[in-house]
Amino acid sequence: MSKLPDPFRAGIERGWKTTDGALGLPEKITCDVVIVGTGAGAGITAELLTKAGLDVVLIEEGPLKTSSDFNQKESEAYAQLYQEGGTRATLDKGITLLQGRCVGGTTVVNWTSSFRTPPTTLKYWQEHFGLKDFNVEALAPWFTQAEQRLNMTDWETAPNANNEILRTGATKLGIAAHVIPRNVKGCWNLGSCGMGCPTNAKQSMLVTTIPAALEAGARLFHQTRAEKFEIDNGEVKSLQCVGVTINGDRVNDKVMHITAKHYVVSGGAINSPALLKRSKAPDPHDLLGKRTFVHPVAFSSAVFEQKIEGWAGAPQSIYSDHFLYTQAIDGPIGYKLEATPIHPGLTSKLLGGMGAALAERFKHYPNTQMMLALVRDGFHADAAGGEVFLKLDGSPVLHYPLTDYVLDGFRRAFLSMAEIQFAAGAKSVLPLHEQAAHYTSWAEAKAGIEKLDMKSQLTGAGSAHIMGGCQMGGTAEQGVVKPDGVHWQLKNLSVHDGSIFPTSIGANPQLSIYGIVNRMATQLAKRLSGKDVVLA
């Protein structure tokens, strides 16, 4: 199996137009379309718009790092490739938030799980947000194109032990578990997806759509932050950008002004609503930044007699939706079960404890398995998500309260995961909760978990799935943007990323972004150029 070449090195040698904002920016540029961000929504949009012959400029706050830089070291990856060096969290620090901040965005560091938007989620959007054309049949061809473009197929290699335990335990309990589709090609099964793929097997925007756009003439500015739009009379007049260091500090006082026919915001949930807030974008119905969802995640570790070595092999390849569909969508909160890769840095957080307690837990590291539960927020009044605010310096922060309703889901998830882990042969199970202990039997775990005080800070929580804040709606009262992604009050601005979702997805969201933005960007390309283009 051969390592795929680094497309950026060869492309830059051929003359791709890339500029490091930390080294200086021009004062003014013009283009047909400027896209803020280079992640899932931005990449799809950039490829389609350049296919239509449009002059496209991409703005990325993070650095340009490629497979030549990826070395499977957590110490470098978190600092260089993640928002706030991997320390982004909600306002009260109750939920750790993992988001990418580099060329390619979160697609560079995600774990490759690829699910279409569940039919139940689409039905809810149709019924509650006026999104009449968001149904399984209407979206199917757009998902199919994205799946083919990004090589999304069921993972055919045998799961690593970390994932197999989920399937083994679930099967013994009569719970269905399935193989996860992944967007990889020629995967080496290294397991370091969260640190950037060193072999270019992961079909992220870094090796697919962004190179395609650059090859077609797009211009890329990295380490360049979009500060704000200049808005007048229902239109965006220009975008102001500044050069930044790798940690986000401004390089100097110089500002680059970009004038375009159309502006696309694809900075991701949290950053996209923050940019519109800094720009004082119209928000007549007080929706901007509200209903921001995260799939709050509960974790459970287990120690086995045999070695697990959960740092090796595809990070996620088995899942169970059993607990998503055992109650009504607006009833007790549901959750999706998956496995968590356990690299040392990440594991030090997910095992809980510190000092001697953490050291004791790490003695069992090679024999530890980790499971997670993605909680499906956004479908109940007591899981209405959070809100993006601006700090005094204009940077964003998400306030997301963990309500009793959500934390009840965490308790049930702890119980489900522990039962599955014991059914698979675990010697002991440890939920991520300050009051939890290593339970040595299912009966002991059940009794112990029922006694836990389910409160923020005591209950460990994280998320890598941030959605909402610029939600779609069939009317201006229901959404920040229209069903085609165009802002309800700004006719030359669109939002193309996960911030457009009016609820959480209930599954890993990358394919939902790819498929839905594929339709939006194709429509935008036709509107701006008159040309029909296809993602291929």
Side-chain angles (χ1 to χ4, degrees):
M1 191 178 298
S2 60
K3 176 178 177 179
L4 297 176
D6 185 336
F8 264 89
R9 286 202 169 182
I12 290 173
E13 288 177 2
R14 287 198 307 275
W16 283 1
K17 300 169 185 173
T18 64
T19 300
D20 184 346
L23 302 179
L25 294 170
E27 185 177 343
K28 294 181 181 180
I29 61 173
T30 61
C31 59
D32 292 324
V33 183
V34 58
I35 303 172
V36 178
T38 57
I44 295 293
T45 301
E47 176 167 320
L48 287 166
L49 296 187
T50 53
K51 276 190 174 184
L54 295 165
D55 179 15
V56 172
V57 168
L58 289 150
I59 303 296
E60 171 57 54
E61 181 181 18
L64 172 59
K65 298 291 182 180
T66 70
S67 58
S68 302
D69 304 297
F70 302 151
N71 55 21
Q72 301 178 275
K73 292 182 180 178
E74 287 180 285
S75 58
E76 294 183 14
Y78 299 146
Q80 295 179 356
L81 305 178
Y82 285 77
Q83 291 285 348
E84 300 173 36
T87 67
R88 176 166 277 188
T90 52
L91 181 62
D92 66 355
K93 310 302 181 186
I95 308 175
T96 300
L97 305 172
L98 294 179
Q99 285 183 294
R101 181 181 171 272
C102 56
V103 174
T106 301
T107 73
V108 174
V109 296
N110 70 21
W111 298 340
T112 77
S113 300
S114 305
F115 298 94
R116 293 190 181 190
T117 312
T120 49
T121 299
L122 294 175
K123 186 173 184 289
Y124 192 89
W125 292 359
Q126 294 171 60
E127 293 173 349
H128 293 83
F129 298 96
L131 299 172
K132 302 303 182 186
D133 195 30
F134 281 73
N135 56 63
V136 172
E137 294 75 20
L139 288 173
W142 305 102
F143 283 134
T144 297
Q145 288 178 14
E147 289 162 347
Q148 292 174 346
R149 174 69 177 95
L150 302 174
N151 209 58
M152 293 175 172
T153 57
D154 285 351
W155 181 239
E156 296 181 353
T157 302
N160 65 5
N162 199 43
N163 281 268
E164 184 56 56
I165 281 168
L166 168 55
R167 180 163 62 182
T168 299
T171 301
K172 286 185 177 180
L173 296 172
I175 294 169
H178 306 281
V179 174
I180 293 177
R182 306 182 64 227
N183 62 313
V184 295
K185 183 185 295 184
C187 180
W188 289 30
N189 206 23
L190 297 175
S192 57
C193 303
M195 292 165 259
C197 180
T199 68
N200 285 322
K202 184 197 296 190
Q203 299 299 284
S204 71
M205 301 300 92
L206 183 65
V207 300
T208 55
T209 60
I210 300 300
L214 291 171
E215 190 68 24
R219 288 171 279 172
L220 168 66
F221 291 83
H222 53 97
Q223 286 188 226
T224 303
R225 181 165 59 234
E227 290 277 77
K228 67 177 182 178
F229 294 110
E230 297 177 31
I231 297 171
D232 183 50
N233 196 28
E235 281 189 315
V236 177
K237 298 300 183 182
S238 69
L239 173 65
Q240 297 180 8
C241 301
V242 298
V244 295
T245 63
I246 199 165
N247 67 0
D249 291 338
R250 284 187 63 163
V251 175
N252 51 45
D253 294 331
K254 294 182 179 178
V255 177
M256 177 173 69
H257 296 264
I258 306 176
T259 303
K261 296 175 183 176
H262 200 86
Y263 301 79
V264 178
V265 179
S266 300
I270 298 182
N271 288 344
S272 286
L275 173 58
L276 294 178
K277 279 177 171 282
R278 286 197 300 271
S279 307
K280 296 181 170 46
D283 184 25
H285 305 290
D286 194 27
L287 299 173
L288 184 58
K290 304 272 180 75
R291 293 187 63 80
T292 302
F293 305 102
V294 302
H295 282 158
V297 176
F299 300 89
S300 180
S301 63
V303 176
F304 285 78
E305 190 70 43
Q306 71 273 26
K307 285 190 175 181
I308 304 299
E309 297 180 342
W311 57 84
Q316 289 184 329
S317 54
I318 300 293
Y319 75 99
S320 175
D321 278 349
H322 175 81
F323 299 99
L324 274 181
Y325 301 120
T326 49
Q327 67 279 316
I329 195 168
D330 56 354
I333 201 162
Y335 44 91
K336 184 185 196 81
L337 297 184
E338 297 173 340
T340 313
I342 52 171
H343 299 283
L346 182 62
T347 304
S348 67
K349 176 77 171 177
L350 299 182
L351 284 178
M354 59 184 69
L358 180 58
E360 182 64 29
R361 292 171 183 180
F362 253 102
K363 288 181 180 179
H364 309 290
Y365 176 49
N367 300 70
T368 297
Q369 190 265 352
M370 188 81 69
M371 204 173 294
L372 63 80
L374 297 173
V375 174
R376 180 177 58 186
D377 50 347
F379 299 86
H380 189 280
D382 291 328
E387 182 174 356
V388 174
F389 292 95
L390 295 180
K391 301 177 186 177
L392 291 177
D393 64 358
S395 62
V397 63
L398 173 63
H399 174 52
Y400 188 106
L402 283 170
T403 64
D404 290 342
Y405 172 80
V406 172
L407 288 170
D408 172 70
F410 268 52
R411 189 192 302 276
R412 288 184 288 109
F414 284 152
L415 290 166
S416 300
M417 292 187 286
E419 185 174 15
I420 289 171
Q421 287 167 322
F422 279 117
K427 293 169 54 182
S428 65
V429 168
L430 176 67
L432 183 55
H433 189 290
E434 287 296 316
Q435 296 172 341
H438 273 106
Y439 306 119
T440 57
S441 70
W442 165 230
E444 184 183 14
K446 186 176 182 182
I449 291 169
E450 292 288 1
K451 294 177 183 177
L452 298 176
D453 293 325
M454 301 305 291
K455 297 178 181 178
S456 182
Q457 311 297 334
L458 290 178
T459 308
S463 185
H465 303 163
I466 299 86
M467 302 152 281
C470 297
Q471 69 190 55
M472 298 178 287
T475 66
E477 291 76 22
Q478 293 174 303
V480 174
V481 300
K482 302 174 185 179
D484 63 359
V486 177
H487 194 280
W488 271 105
Q489 290 80 37
L490 298 171
K491 60 185 179 182
N492 65 338
L493 183 141
S494 298
V495 181
H496 288 185
D497 60 22
S499 71
I500 62 176
F501 300 148
T503 65
S504 77
I505 294 297
N508 307 60
Q510 73 161 343
L511 180 50
S512 290
I513 299 172
Y514 291 139
I516 291 171
V517 168
N518 182 20
R519 181 167 71 173
M520 290 178 170
T522 301
Q523 293 169 341
L524 181 60
K526 177 72 170 180
R527 173 183 156 193
L528 295 178
S529 71
K531 297 179 181 178
D532 294 311
V533 293
V534 178
L535 188 69

